[in-house]
PDB file of all heavy atoms in Angstrom:
ATOM      1  N   GLN A 111       4.464  -7.052 -17.841  1.00 98.00           N
ATOM      2  CA  GLN A 111       3.349  -7.499 -18.664  1.00 98.00           C
ATOM      3  C   GLN A 111       2.829  -8.806 -18.087  1.00 98.00           C
ATOM      4  O   GLN A 111       3.570  -9.788 -18.003  1.00 98.00           O
ATOM      5  CB  GLN A 111       3.791  -7.691 -20.113  1.00 98.00           C
ATOM      6  CG  GLN A 111       2.708  -8.249 -21.031  1.00 98.00           C
ATOM      7  CD  GLN A 111       1.572  -7.279 -21.238  1.00 98.00           C
ATOM      8  OE1 GLN A 111       1.805  -6.089 -21.440  1.00 98.00           O
ATOM      9  NE2 GLN A 111       0.343  -7.772 -21.181  1.00 98.00           N
ATOM     10  N   MET A 112       1.569  -8.817 -17.698  1.00 98.00           N
ATOM     11  CA  MET A 112       0.966  -9.976 -17.063  1.00 98.00           C
ATOM     12  C   MET A 112      -0.118 -10.539 -17.965  1.00 98.00           C
ATOM     13  O   MET A 112      -1.111  -9.871 -18.252  1.00 98.00           O
ATOM     14  CB  MET A 112       0.390  -9.608 -15.699  1.00 98.00           C
ATOM     15  CG  MET A 112       1.414  -8.991 -14.755  1.00 98.00           C
ATOM     16  SD  MET A 112       0.741  -8.664 -13.105  1.00 98.00           S
ATOM     17  CE  MET A 112      -0.440  -7.367 -13.506  1.00 98.00           C
ATOM     18  N   ASP A 113       0.077 -11.762 -18.407  1.00 98.00           N
ATOM     19  CA  ASP A 113      -0.881 -12.458 -19.251  1.00 98.00           C
ATOM     20  C   ASP A 113      -1.385 -13.701 -18.532  1.00 98.00           C
ATOM     21  O   ASP A 113      -0.779 -14.174 -17.579  1.00 98.00           O
ATOM     22  CB  ASP A 113      -0.242 -12.850 -20.584  1.00 98.00           C
ATOM     23  CG  ASP A 113       0.228 -11.669 -21.398  1.00 98.00           C
ATOM     24  OD1 ASP A 113      -0.499 -10.669 -21.475  1.00 98.00           O
ATOM     25  OD2 ASP A 113       1.339 -11.754 -21.967  1.00 98.00           O
ATOM     26  N   SER A 114      -2.491 -14.244 -19.019  1.00 98.00           N
ATOM     27  CA  SER A 114      -3.086 -15.447 -18.434  1.00 98.00           C
ATOM     28  C   SER A 114      -3.237 -15.304 -16.925  1.00 98.00           C
ATOM     29  O   SER A 114      -2.874 -16.193 -16.155  1.00 98.00           O
ATOM     30  CB  SER A 114      -2.237 -16.671 -18.779  1.00 98.00           C
ATOM     31  OG  SER A 114      -2.125 -16.845 -20.177  1.00 98.00           O
ATOM     32  N   LEU A 115      -3.781 -14.189 -16.499  1.00 98.00           N
ATOM     33  CA  LEU A 115      -3.893 -13.904 -15.080  1.00 98.00           C
ATOM     34  C   LEU A 115      -4.833 -14.877 -14.384  1.00 98.00           C
ATOM     35  O   LEU A 115      -5.834 -15.321 -14.954  1.00 98.00           O
ATOM     36  CB  LEU A 115      -4.371 -12.475 -14.870  1.00 98.00           C
ATOM     37  CG  LEU A 115      -3.290 -11.408 -15.070  1.00 98.00           C
ATOM     38  CD1 LEU A 115      -3.905 -10.036 -15.272  1.00 98.00           C
ATOM     39  CD2 LEU A 115      -2.341 -11.399 -13.878  1.00 98.00           C
ATOM     40  N   LYS A 116      -4.484 -15.184 -13.148  1.00 97.00           N
ATOM     41  CA  LYS A 116      -5.253 -16.089 -12.313  1.00 97.00           C
ATOM     42  C   LYS A 116      -5.727 -15.356 -11.064  1.00 97.00           C
ATOM     43  O   LYS A 116      -5.113 -14.377 -10.656  1.00 97.00           O
ATOM     44  CB  LYS A 116      -4.397 -17.292 -11.908  1.00 97.00           C
ATOM     45  CG  LYS A 116      -3.787 -18.054 -13.063  1.00 97.00           C
ATOM     46  CD  LYS A 116      -2.848 -19.138 -12.557  1.00 97.00           C
ATOM     47  CE  LYS A 116      -2.209 -19.897 -13.702  1.00 97.00           C
ATOM     48  NZ  LYS A 116      -1.276 -20.943 -13.217  1.00 97.00           N
ATOM     49  N   PRO A 117      -6.807 -15.826 -10.437  1.00 97.00           N
ATOM     50  CA  PRO A 117      -7.256 -15.177  -9.202  1.00 97.00           C
ATOM     51  C   PRO A 117      -6.164 -15.090  -8.143  1.00 97.00           C
ATOM     52  O   PRO A 117      -6.124 -14.114  -7.383  1.00 97.00           O
ATOM     53  CB  PRO A 117      -8.410 -16.071  -8.744  1.00 97.00           C
ATOM     54  CG  PRO A 117      -8.965 -16.623 -10.011  1.00 97.00           C
ATOM     55  CD  PRO A 117      -7.755 -16.859 -10.888  1.00 97.00           C
ATOM     56  N   GLU A 118      -5.273 -16.063  -8.076  1.00 95.00           N
ATOM     57  CA  GLU A 118      -4.199 -16.035  -7.099  1.00 95.00           C
ATOM     58  C   GLU A 118      -3.148 -14.972  -7.385  1.00 95.00           C
ATOM     59  O   GLU A 118      -2.264 -14.732  -6.564  1.00 95.00           O
ATOM     60  CB  GLU A 118      -3.527 -17.409  -6.967  1.00 95.00           C
ATOM     61  CG  GLU A 118      -3.097 -18.016  -8.292  1.00 95.00           C
ATOM     62  CD  GLU A 118      -4.106 -19.016  -8.820  1.00 95.00           C
ATOM     63  OE1 GLU A 118      -5.311 -18.724  -8.778  1.00 95.00           O
ATOM     64  OE2 GLU A 118      -3.681 -20.108  -9.267  1.00 95.00           O
ATOM     65  N   ASP A 119      -3.227 -14.324  -8.544  1.00 97.00           N
ATOM     66  CA  ASP A 119      -2.355 -13.200  -8.843  1.00 97.00           C
ATOM     67  C   ASP A 119      -2.844 -11.906  -8.199  1.00 97.00           C
ATOM     68  O   ASP A 119      -2.162 -10.881  -8.285  1.00 97.00           O
ATOM     69  CB  ASP A 119      -2.233 -12.991 -10.352  1.00 97.00           C
ATOM     70  CG  ASP A 119      -1.549 -14.150 -11.057  1.00 97.00           C
ATOM     71  OD1 ASP A 119      -0.556 -14.674 -10.508  1.00 97.00           O
ATOM     72  OD2 ASP A 119      -1.996 -14.520 -12.159  1.00 97.00           O
ATOM     73  N   THR A 120      -4.017 -11.941  -7.594  1.00 97.00           N
ATOM     74  CA  THR A 120      -4.562 -10.765  -6.921  1.00 97.00           C
ATOM     75  C   THR A 120      -3.648 -10.351  -5.770  1.00 97.00           C
ATOM     76  O   THR A 120      -3.427 -11.124  -4.833  1.00 97.00           O
ATOM     77  CB  THR A 120      -5.974 -11.052  -6.399  1.00 97.00           C
ATOM     78  OG1 THR A 120      -6.851 -11.277  -7.506  1.00 97.00           O
ATOM     79  CG2 THR A 120      -6.493  -9.876  -5.584  1.00 97.00           C
ATOM     80  N   ASP A 121      -3.124  -9.151  -5.859  1.00 97.00           N
ATOM     81  CA  ASP A 121      -2.161  -8.651  -4.876  1.00 97.00           C
ATOM     82  C   ASP A 121      -1.926  -7.169  -5.141  1.00 97.00           C
ATOM     83  O   ASP A 121      -2.333  -6.637  -6.172  1.00 97.00           O
ATOM     84  CB  ASP A 121      -0.806  -9.369  -5.004  1.00 97.00           C
ATOM     85  CG  ASP A 121      -0.730 -10.670  -4.245  1.00 97.00           C
ATOM     86  OD1 ASP A 121      -1.135 -10.706  -3.069  1.00 97.00           O
ATOM     87  OD2 ASP A 121      -0.233 -11.660  -4.827  1.00 97.00           O
ATOM     88  N   VAL A 122      -1.262  -6.531  -4.192  1.00 98.00           N
ATOM     89  CA  VAL A 122      -0.673  -5.235  -4.449  1.00 98.00           C
ATOM     90  C   VAL A 122       0.724  -5.485  -5.001  1.00 98.00           C
ATOM     91  O   VAL A 122       1.511  -6.226  -4.406  1.00 98.00           O
ATOM     92  CB  VAL A 122      -0.598  -4.357  -3.184  1.00 98.00           C
ATOM     93  CG1 VAL A 122       0.118  -3.047  -3.485  1.00 98.00           C
ATOM     94  CG2 VAL A 122      -2.002  -4.089  -2.657  1.00 98.00           C
ATOM     95  N   TYR A 123       1.032  -4.880  -6.129  1.00 98.00           N
ATOM     96  CA  TYR A 123       2.304  -5.092  -6.789  1.00 98.00           C
ATOM     97  C   TYR A 123       3.218  -3.891  -6.564  1.00 98.00           C
ATOM     98  O   TYR A 123       2.801  -2.742  -6.728  1.00 98.00           O
ATOM     99  CB  TYR A 123       2.101  -5.321  -8.289  1.00 98.00           C
ATOM    100  CG  TYR A 123       1.595  -6.707  -8.602  1.00 98.00           C
ATOM    101  CD1 TYR A 123       0.296  -7.074  -8.263  1.00 98.00           C
ATOM    102  CD2 TYR A 123       2.417  -7.649  -9.216  1.00 98.00           C
ATOM    103  CE1 TYR A 123      -0.173  -8.350  -8.529  1.00 98.00           C
ATOM    104  CE2 TYR A 123       1.959  -8.920  -9.490  1.00 98.00           C
ATOM    105  CZ  TYR A 123       0.660  -9.268  -9.140  1.00 98.00           C
ATOM    106  OH  TYR A 123       0.198 -10.539  -9.409  1.00 98.00           O
ATOM    107  N   PHE A 124       4.458  -4.181  -6.193  1.00 97.00           N
ATOM    108  CA  PHE A 124       5.438  -3.155  -5.871  1.00 97.00           C
ATOM    109  C   PHE A 124       6.633  -3.230  -6.805  1.00 97.00           C
ATOM    110  O   PHE A 124       7.114  -4.308  -7.133  1.00 97.00           O
ATOM    111  CB  PHE A 124       5.947  -3.305  -4.437  1.00 97.00           C
ATOM    112  CG  PHE A 124       4.892  -3.139  -3.388  1.00 97.00           C
ATOM    113  CD1 PHE A 124       4.135  -4.212  -2.964  1.00 97.00           C
ATOM    114  CD2 PHE A 124       4.663  -1.896  -2.820  1.00 97.00           C
ATOM    115  CE1 PHE A 124       3.165  -4.069  -1.988  1.00 97.00           C
ATOM    116  CE2 PHE A 124       3.705  -1.732  -1.842  1.00 97.00           C
ATOM    117  CZ  PHE A 124       2.950  -2.821  -1.425  1.00 97.00           C
ATOM    118  N   CYS A 125       7.113  -2.087  -7.184  1.00 96.00           N
ATOM    119  CA  CYS A 125       8.373  -1.958  -7.900  1.00 96.00           C
ATOM    120  C   CYS A 125       9.468  -1.658  -6.891  1.00 96.00           C
ATOM    121  O   CYS A 125       9.257  -0.892  -5.951  1.00 96.00           O
ATOM    122  CB  CYS A 125       8.262  -0.834  -8.936  1.00 96.00           C
ATOM    123  SG  CYS A 125       9.742  -0.561  -9.921  1.00 96.00           S
ATOM    124  N   ALA A 126      10.632  -2.266  -7.055  1.00 95.00           N
ATOM    125  CA  ALA A 126      11.733  -2.077  -6.131  1.00 95.00           C
ATOM    126  C   ALA A 126      13.040  -1.934  -6.890  1.00 95.00           C
ATOM    127  O   ALA A 126      13.166  -2.381  -8.029  1.00 95.00           O
ATOM    128  CB  ALA A 126      11.825  -3.251  -5.154  1.00 95.00           C
ATOM    129  N   ALA A 127      14.020  -1.317  -6.237  1.00 94.00           N
ATOM    130  CA  ALA A 127      15.330  -1.104  -6.850  1.00 94.00           C
ATOM    131  C   ALA A 127      16.436  -1.336  -5.834  1.00 94.00           C
ATOM    132  O   ALA A 127      16.311  -0.964  -4.668  1.00 94.00           O
ATOM    133  CB  ALA A 127      15.433   0.311  -7.416  1.00 94.00           C
ATOM    134  N   ASP A 128      17.516  -1.946  -6.286  1.00 93.00           N
ATOM    135  CA  ASP A 128      18.676  -2.172  -5.434  1.00 93.00           C
ATOM    136  C   ASP A 128      19.928  -2.224  -6.288  1.00 93.00           C
ATOM    137  O   ASP A 128      19.872  -2.623  -7.454  1.00 93.00           O
ATOM    138  CB  ASP A 128      18.519  -3.468  -4.632  1.00 93.00           C
ATOM    139  CG  ASP A 128      19.448  -3.517  -3.441  1.00 93.00           C
ATOM    140  OD1 ASP A 128      20.599  -3.988  -3.609  1.00 93.00           O
ATOM    141  OD2 ASP A 128      19.025  -3.085  -2.353  1.00 93.00           O
ATOM    142  N   GLN A 129      21.051  -1.863  -5.694  1.00 92.00           N
ATOM    143  CA  GLN A 129      22.312  -1.833  -6.420  1.00 92.00           C
ATOM    144  C   GLN A 129      22.917  -3.208  -6.639  1.00 92.00           C
ATOM    145  O   GLN A 129      23.674  -3.407  -7.590  1.00 92.00           O
ATOM    146  CB  GLN A 129      23.335  -0.975  -5.674  1.00 92.00           C
ATOM    147  CG  GLN A 129      22.967   0.484  -5.558  1.00 92.00           C
ATOM    148  CD  GLN A 129      24.056   1.272  -4.868  1.00 92.00           C
ATOM    149  OE1 GLN A 129      25.209   1.258  -5.294  1.00 92.00           O
ATOM    150  NE2 GLN A 129      23.684   1.962  -3.810  1.00 92.00           N
ATOM    151  N   ALA A 130      22.608  -4.149  -5.754  1.00 92.00           N
ATOM    152  CA  ALA A 130      23.240  -5.464  -5.801  1.00 92.00           C
ATOM    153  C   ALA A 130      22.299  -6.518  -6.361  1.00 92.00           C
ATOM    154  O   ALA A 130      21.195  -6.701  -5.856  1.00 92.00           O
ATOM    155  CB  ALA A 130      23.705  -5.876  -4.410  1.00 92.00           C
ATOM    156  N   TRP A 131      22.765  -7.230  -7.379  1.00 90.00           N
ATOM    157  CA  TRP A 131      21.969  -8.319  -7.923  1.00 90.00           C
ATOM    158  C   TRP A 131      21.780  -9.424  -6.888  1.00 90.00           C
ATOM    159  O   TRP A 131      20.759 -10.115  -6.909  1.00 90.00           O
ATOM    160  CB  TRP A 131      22.627  -8.872  -9.179  1.00 90.00           C
ATOM    161  CG  TRP A 131      21.814  -9.925  -9.868  1.00 90.00           C
ATOM    162  CD1 TRP A 131      22.084 -11.257  -9.954  1.00 90.00           C
ATOM    163  CD2 TRP A 131      20.573  -9.722 -10.559  1.00 90.00           C
ATOM    164  NE1 TRP A 131      21.105 -11.897 -10.662  1.00 90.00           N
ATOM    165  CE2 TRP A 131      20.161 -10.989 -11.049  1.00 90.00           C
ATOM    166  CE3 TRP A 131      19.786  -8.607 -10.818  1.00 90.00           C
ATOM    167  CZ2 TRP A 131      18.990 -11.158 -11.776  1.00 90.00           C
ATOM    168  CZ3 TRP A 131      18.615  -8.774 -11.540  1.00 90.00           C
ATOM    169  CH2 TRP A 131      18.235 -10.030 -12.008  1.00 90.00           C
ATOM    170  N   THR A 132      22.725  -9.561  -5.974  1.00 90.00           N
ATOM    171  CA  THR A 132      22.616 -10.551  -4.919  1.00 90.00           C
ATOM    172  C   THR A 132      21.379 -10.307  -4.055  1.00 90.00           C
ATOM    173  O   THR A 132      20.748 -11.250  -3.577  1.00 90.00           O
ATOM    174  CB  THR A 132      23.876 -10.553  -4.036  1.00 90.00           C
ATOM    175  OG1 THR A 132      25.022 -10.813  -4.846  1.00 90.00           O
ATOM    176  CG2 THR A 132      23.778 -11.631  -2.961  1.00 90.00           C
ATOM    177  N   THR A 133      21.023  -9.058  -3.859  1.00 86.00           N
ATOM    178  CA  THR A 133      19.811  -8.726  -3.113  1.00 86.00           C
ATOM    179  C   THR A 133      18.591  -9.342  -3.784  1.00 86.00           C
ATOM    180  O   THR A 133      17.667  -9.808  -3.123  1.00 86.00           O
ATOM    181  CB  THR A 133      19.637  -7.208  -3.003  1.00 86.00           C
ATOM    182  OG1 THR A 133      20.752  -6.656  -2.306  1.00 86.00           O
ATOM    183  CG2 THR A 133      18.349  -6.861  -2.262  1.00 86.00           C
ATOM    184  N   ILE A 134      18.592  -9.353  -5.085  1.00 86.00           N
ATOM    185  CA  ILE A 134      17.493  -9.933  -5.850  1.00 86.00           C
ATOM    186  C   ILE A 134      17.553 -11.451  -5.811  1.00 86.00           C
ATOM    187  O   ILE A 134      16.565 -12.126  -5.537  1.00 86.00           O
ATOM    188  CB  ILE A 134      17.515  -9.442  -7.304  1.00 86.00           C
ATOM    189  CG1 ILE A 134      17.535  -7.916  -7.360  1.00 86.00           C
ATOM    190  CG2 ILE A 134      16.327 -10.015  -8.069  1.00 86.00           C
ATOM    191  CD1 ILE A 134      16.361  -7.255  -6.688  1.00 86.00           C
ATOM    192  N   ALA A 135      18.725 -12.008  -6.072  1.00 79.00           N
ATOM    193  CA  ALA A 135      18.887 -13.455  -6.191  1.00 79.00           C
ATOM    194  C   ALA A 135      18.754 -14.173  -4.856  1.00 79.00           C
ATOM    195  O   ALA A 135      18.174 -15.258  -4.795  1.00 79.00           O
ATOM    196  CB  ALA A 135      20.240 -13.777  -6.819  1.00 79.00           C
ATOM    197  N   ILE A 136      19.287 -13.593  -3.788  1.00 82.00           N
ATOM    198  CA  ILE A 136      19.295 -14.233  -2.481  1.00 82.00           C
ATOM    199  C   ILE A 136      18.106 -13.801  -1.631  1.00 82.00           C
ATOM    200  O   ILE A 136      17.400 -14.638  -1.062  1.00 82.00           O
ATOM    201  CB  ILE A 136      20.610 -13.956  -1.730  1.00 82.00           C
ATOM    202  CG1 ILE A 136      21.805 -14.403  -2.570  1.00 82.00           C
ATOM    203  CG2 ILE A 136      20.597 -14.662  -0.375  1.00 82.00           C
ATOM    204  CD1 ILE A 136      21.795 -15.864  -2.938  1.00 82.00           C
ATOM    205  N   GLN A 137      17.900 -12.513  -1.526  1.00 86.00           N
ATOM    206  CA  GLN A 137      16.819 -11.977  -0.697  1.00 86.00           C
ATOM    207  C   GLN A 137      15.494 -11.878  -1.438  1.00 86.00           C
ATOM    208  O   GLN A 137      14.491 -11.453  -0.849  1.00 86.00           O
ATOM    209  CB  GLN A 137      17.211 -10.607  -0.148  1.00 86.00           C
ATOM    210  CG  GLN A 137      18.420 -10.636   0.772  1.00 86.00           C
ATOM    211  CD  GLN A 137      18.145 -11.399   2.046  1.00 86.00           C
ATOM    212  OE1 GLN A 137      17.015 -11.393   2.549  1.00 86.00           O
ATOM    213  NE2 GLN A 137      19.156 -12.065   2.568  1.00 86.00           N
ATOM    214  N   ARG A 138      15.483 -12.223  -2.688  1.00 87.00           N
ATOM    215  CA  ARG A 138      14.285 -12.192  -3.519  1.00 87.00           C
ATOM    216  C   ARG A 138      13.671 -10.791  -3.556  1.00 87.00           C
ATOM    217  O   ARG A 138      12.453 -10.637  -3.647  1.00 87.00           O
ATOM    218  CB  ARG A 138      13.265 -13.210  -3.033  1.00 87.00           C
ATOM    219  CG  ARG A 138      13.844 -14.613  -2.816  1.00 87.00           C
ATOM    220  CD  ARG A 138      14.342 -15.213  -4.121  1.00 87.00           C
ATOM    221  NE  ARG A 138      13.268 -15.748  -4.924  1.00 87.00           N
ATOM    222  CZ  ARG A 138      13.407 -16.183  -6.167  1.00 87.00           C
ATOM    223  NH1 ARG A 138      14.593 -16.117  -6.760  1.00 87.00           N
ATOM    224  NH2 ARG A 138      12.365 -16.674  -6.818  1.00 87.00           N
ATOM    225  N   GLY A 139      14.523  -9.789  -3.458  1.00 86.00           N
ATOM    226  CA  GLY A 139      14.111  -8.405  -3.573  1.00 86.00           C
ATOM    227  C   GLY A 139      13.498  -7.790  -2.340  1.00 86.00           C
ATOM    228  O   GLY A 139      13.231  -6.589  -2.331  1.00 86.00           O
ATOM    229  N   ARG A 140      13.281  -8.584  -1.301  1.00 86.00           N
ATOM    230  CA  ARG A 140      12.562  -8.092  -0.129  1.00 86.00           C
ATOM    231  C   ARG A 140      13.333  -7.035   0.658  1.00 86.00           C
ATOM    232  O   ARG A 140      12.730  -6.268   1.394  1.00 86.00           O
ATOM    233  CB  ARG A 140      12.171  -9.252   0.783  1.00 86.00           C
ATOM    234  CG  ARG A 140      11.053 -10.112   0.204  1.00 86.00           C
ATOM    235  CD  ARG A 140      10.614 -11.219   1.145  1.00 86.00           C
ATOM    236  NE  ARG A 140      11.583 -12.297   1.220  1.00 86.00           N
ATOM    237  CZ  ARG A 140      12.349 -12.543   2.272  1.00 86.00           C
ATOM    238  NH1 ARG A 140      12.262 -11.783   3.343  1.00 86.00           N
ATOM    239  NH2 ARG A 140      13.202 -13.552   2.258  1.00 86.00           N
ATOM    240  N   SER A 141      14.652  -6.993   0.514  1.00 89.00           N
ATOM    241  CA  SER A 141      15.467  -6.007   1.203  1.00 89.00           C
ATOM    242  C   SER A 141      15.929  -4.894   0.264  1.00 89.00           C
ATOM    243  O   SER A 141      16.922  -4.223   0.536  1.00 89.00           O
ATOM    244  CB  SER A 141      16.674  -6.672   1.865  1.00 89.00           C
ATOM    245  OG  SER A 141      17.497  -7.311   0.903  1.00 89.00           O
ATOM    246  N   SER A 142      15.229  -4.698  -0.819  1.00 91.00           N
ATOM    247  CA  SER A 142      15.595  -3.672  -1.782  1.00 91.00           C
ATOM    248  C   SER A 142      15.631  -2.293  -1.134  1.00 91.00           C
ATOM    249  O   SER A 142      14.865  -1.997  -0.221  1.00 91.00           O
ATOM    250  CB  SER A 142      14.620  -3.668  -2.953  1.00 91.00           C
ATOM    251  OG  SER A 142      14.722  -4.864  -3.702  1.00 91.00           O
TER     252      SER A 142
END
């Protein structure tokens, strides 16, 4: 849910999944 949207929020948005929370916390999800 995106509220108070700004022009800088303009992007393609991706959903990702990974088994390890560390992938999210350390890699910021980029290696999902």
Side-chain angles (χ1 to χ4, degrees):
Q111 176 67 43
M112 303 184 293
D113 298 317
S114 301
L115 283 162
K116 305 174 181 179
E118 51 262 44
D119 295 319
T120 295
D121 275 313
V122 176
Y123 283 70
F124 297 88
C125 181
D128 198 272
Q129 296 183 56
W131 185 250
T132 302
T133 299
I134 306 301
I136 304 301
Q137 297 294 327
R138 310 296 281 172
R140 288 183 286 109
S141 61
S142 294

